[in-house]
Amino acid sequence: QVQLVESGGGAVQAGGSLRLSCAGSGDAYSRNCMAWFRQAPGKEREGVASIITSRSSTRYADSVKGRFTISQDNAKNAVYLEMNSLKPEDTAMYYCAADPWDGACRYLLPHNFGIWGQGTQVTVSA
């Protein structure tokens, strides 16, 4: 059984940085595509970034390009989201997700992911 545990959220001022971590366990095949999503109150869950772990292929939402970086550490079964130049509109609950299908990373849509972490809160103040 695959499990994902996020950590690293917190409260920062605009312009600051945070690094989120997602520790995975279980079947590596099920974690072929790893992604970060976020959901702000009253809004739909949106894809932020994804990585196909077998070839380190990444994709980013336009709203975070140039500011966020997704990376992996296969030895630790971990995926990270480095967030720089944070803005108040980045405030949300951030979720780690996994799926064996490469397409899940390509389309970065929540309904394509079968495995989710519990989330970690990121709050950016102006």
Side-chain angles (χ1 to χ4, degrees), residues 3 23 31 38 66 85:
Q3 290 187 322
R31 291 182 279 110
R38 65 186 181 186
S85 302

Side-chain angles (χ1 to χ4, degrees), residues 23-105:
S25 62
D27 179 16
Y29 169 76
S30 296
R31 291 182 279 110
N32 174 57
C33 166
M34 297 289 294
W36 288 96
F37 287 80
R38 65 186 181 186
Q39 188 167 19
K43 294 188 176 182
E44 294 186 351
R45 191 168 297 190
E46 63 170 347
V48 175
S50 66
I51 184 166
I52 299 175
T53 58
S54 58
R55 54 182 185 268
S56 298
S57 175
T58 60
R59 183 176 183 274
Y60 296 91
D62 288 344
S63 58
V64 305
K65 281 181 181 177
R67 300 189 298 123
F68 291 11
T69 303
I70 189 170
S71 62
Q72 64 185 50
D73 185 334
N74 290 337
K76 296 182 179 180
N77 290 334
V79 171
Y80 306 99
L81 186 68
E82 186 75 35
M83 305 186 296
N84 298 315
S85 302
L86 282 161
K87 304 174 182 180
E89 51 263 44
D90 294 318
T91 294
M93 184 72 79
Y94 282 71
Y95 297 91
C96 180
D99 197 273
W101 182 43
D102 283 6
C105 274

